Amino acid sequence: MPDGPEDIAKFLQELLSGNGNINAEELARVAGLPNDPVAIQALLAQLRNAIQQGESQTVSGVNWTVASQQALSSAREGSKAVTDSSKTKLSEATHIANLWLDQATSLSAMASEPKFVSREVWVQDALPLFQELAGPIAERVASALTENLQANLPSELEGLAQGAQGIMRSAGGALFAMQLGSALGKLSHEVITGGDIGLPFYSESRAAFVTQNLSQFVDENDLDEGQANIYIAVRELAHARLFRHSRWLREAVIAQLTNYASGISIDGEAMSELASSISPENAEALKDALESGALLSERTDEQLAALSSIENLLALIEGWVEVVTENSTKLLPAAANLDEVLRRRRATSSPAQSTFATLVGLELKPKRSREAANFWRIITERLGIEKRDAIWDHPDLLPESSDIDNVDGYLERISGGEDSIDQALRDLLGGDQ
């Protein structure tokens, strides 16, 4: 077992060079790959290339070349091309969805046509957003690890520290990438729309449908295809309209993730314990530390507040989409059944839950989304559609977590009463509107 920094550096070098007695099956399991010789050899080749390239491929703490390769490899398994038939059916569904949405929200329709994509294209399109989301967190973890290493080495080993830092950043960037790539690949088999992860990955907030997964979702739940396509198109287009209207919204979530990441620090005692337990023959200790976040210090009050803000904002988005969809699909016979099917999906392990659990360990609570939906129902009844949607005009108008449970208090806080909300909007948004 390694006793000090020299052994840690040696371990990481052997881990990625392929020269040591590395438990490749364990590494494959860490990366989410099947335990077969071809997959394991490909994994080791990726790792060797990563360490040879060093930090040149590691951007914001992640080796994105490895992440992309890993995700695309998984996405290609069983993937089918987008057919003309699916395009035609979904185009018809989106046309109906837009007509119905015009009656349920004041937010304008999308100028661009929806995008119909395969699993591989979804991965390629989603990667830039995941770089924005994961970058601050991965970079802070990588920096905290190297800071900890440097702070705890005696002065006579400063030269070794520089070498070990480079190795740790390259190794950490590759291993983080493999985990993220595995998560992305898994998501590519589950997502049915562009907004399914809770955020749009197109900067222009374009609607998108993963046609193979949508068809599979319909079949697995024994749904009427035509009605399911319309219902899901309403949800996706409502989500896209919201982010197109509130252009600050996407960046607000990313900023909150960055705020959370800024408080990440490494637990020195946990780091020392890890150094005494890992070896080239035992990748399990390193895997456990990476997966469990055991190397990270306990979350600060500021980080907990940041996580709460993220959850609150995502719940408000989901709740608003649910209410708008509910009001748009009143004429759809299967609407109640489709709503229940999607509720069950969100209650188990939705793509949005998987995304934020992977990035920050945030467990999204379906109950909070339901409470946010109830908030928007009451706001709609009290203020009407136009004033409800105007709340999304500026971040300062959005309700805080406590407001979701106290609509009267929220209205009083932002406007001094319902009758004054127009003036409150004018004041906040900069004068006469």
Side-chain angles (χ1 to χ4, degrees):
M1 289 190 179
D3 296 320
E6 301 97 331
D7 293 310
I8 295 175
K10 180 181 178 182
F11 165 73
L12 290 169
Q13 286 174 320
E14 290 180 340
L15 183 66
L16 298 178
S17 69
N19 297 325
N21 182 23
I22 306 299
N23 189 331
E25 293 182 5
E26 276 297 317
L27 286 177
R29 190 167 71 83
V30 172
L33 293 176
N35 183 16
D36 70 77
V38 174
I40 290 174
Q41 287 305 312
L43 167 65
L44 292 175
Q46 282 183 327
L47 282 169
R48 289 173 190 138
N49 180 66
I51 194 61
Q52 288 167 3
Q53 296 295 325
E55 293 191 71
S56 64
Q57 289 187 343
T58 303
V59 180
S60 295
V62 181
N63 187 314
W64 289 103
T65 300
V66 170
S68 175
Q69 292 171 345
Q70 183 88 353
L72 285 171
S73 176
S74 175
R76 291 189 186 103
E77 295 176 9
S79 181
K80 297 179 182 178
V82 178
T83 65
D84 290 338
S85 174
S86 63
K87 286 182 181 179
T88 299
K89 291 176 182 177
L90 283 169
S91 292
E92 293 172 352
T94 57
H95 176 70
I96 296 171
N98 269 318
L99 291 176
W100 289 0
L101 276 168
D102 286 341
Q103 309 305 310
T105 177
S106 63
L107 305 189
S108 59
M110 309 298 295
S112 58
E113 291 296 318
K115 191 172 183 179
F116 308 116
V117 301
S118 64
R119 291 170 178 172
E120 297 99 312
V121 172
W122 181 87
V123 166
Q124 292 168 338
D125 288 349
L127 268 171
L129 173 62
F130 274 81
Q131 284 182 302
E132 285 189 84
L133 294 174
I137 294 166
E139 178 65 26
R140 183 60 198 132
V141 169
S143 297
L145 279 168
T146 53
E147 287 166 8
N148 180 274
L149 177 67
Q150 189 170 27
N152 288 283
L153 277 178
S155 58
E156 60 269 19
L157 294 178
E158 286 181 357
L160 173 64
Q162 296 300 319
Q165 284 178 22
I167 294 168
M168 289 187 74
R169 290 186 70 88
S170 298
L175 290 170
F176 194 103
M178 296 175 92
Q179 290 182 324
L180 188 61
S182 177
L184 265 174
K186 183 174 184 290
L187 282 173
S188 74
H189 289 253
E190 298 173 357
V191 292
I192 56 179
T193 64
D196 223 359
I197 62 171
L199 288 174
F201 46 79
Y202 297 113
S203 58
E204 69 274 23
S205 302
R206 185 177 184 180
F209 300 87
V210 186
T211 57
Q212 177 182 356
N213 295 349
L214 177 52
S215 178
Q216 185 175 308
F217 173 76
V218 168
D219 291 341
E220 288 176 349
N221 291 281
D222 195 25
L223 302 172
D224 178 277
E225 183 181 27
Q227 294 193 55
N229 283 349
I230 293 171
Y231 189 89
I232 290 167
V234 167
R235 280 189 56 88
E236 172 65 1
L237 290 168
H239 194 271
R241 286 190 187 200
L242 176 58
F243 277 88
R244 179 178 177 272
H245 174 81
S246 304
R247 297 186 183 277
W248 55 268
L249 189 53
R250 185 175 183 265
E251 296 307 315
V253 178
I254 295 172
Q256 289 177 348
L257 286 169
T258 302
N259 183 36
Y260 167 82
S262 66
I264 291 174
S265 60
I266 295 299
D267 186 326
E269 185 176 343
M271 187 71 179
S272 299
E273 290 178 2
L274 177 65
S276 66
S277 62
I278 59 175
S279 70
E281 295 81 13
N282 176 24
E284 187 70 26
L286 181 61
K287 179 196 81 71
D288 289 344
L290 289 169
E291 284 189 346
S292 67
L295 293 179
L296 304 183
S297 297
E298 187 174 347
R299 287 168 178 163
T300 64
D301 291 341
E302 290 78 9
Q303 285 181 297
L304 292 173
L307 288 179
S308 177
S309 294
I310 295 168
E311 182 184 31
N312 183 63
L313 185 51
L314 294 173
L316 286 169
I317 293 166
E318 173 59 33
W320 183 89
V321 169
E322 180 177 331
V323 169
V324 170
T325 300
E326 185 180 280
N327 292 335
S328 300
T329 57
K330 290 178 178 178
L331 298 177
L332 196 66
N337 179 51
L338 286 160
D339 177 65
E340 179 59 30
V341 170
L342 288 171
R343 280 180 184 272
R344 289 199 304 268
R345 181 174 183 252
R346 292 194 297 271
T348 52
S349 181
S350 71
Q353 286 178 311
S354 299
T355 297
F356 288 93
T358 298
L359 292 175
V360 294
L362 174 61
E363 182 181 353
L364 298 179
K365 302 178 182 67
K367 179 176 181 289
R368 199 55 178 158
S369 295
R370 292 195 298 271
E371 292 166 346
N374 190 55
F375 169 89
W376 290 118
R377 288 188 190 97
I378 297 173
I379 289 292
T380 306
E381 293 170 2
R382 299 271 189 91
L383 304 180
I385 290 172
E386 189 171 349
K387 290 180 183 177
R388 176 202 66 195
D389 293 346
I391 291 173
W392 291 101
D393 287 352
H394 193 281
D396 289 347
L397 281 172
L398 280 186
E400 299 172 356
S401 181
S402 59
D403 294 324
I404 292 176
D405 305 312
N406 182 10
V407 181
D408 290 336
Y410 166 74
L411 290 171
E412 184 69 26
R413 179 172 64 80
I414 70 165
S415 67
E418 295 172 33
D419 294 339
S420 305
I421 193 169
D422 287 318
Q423 184 60 48
L425 289 169
R426 284 194 293 270
D427 292 344
L428 185 60
L429 300 177
D432 295 334
Q433 297 291 320

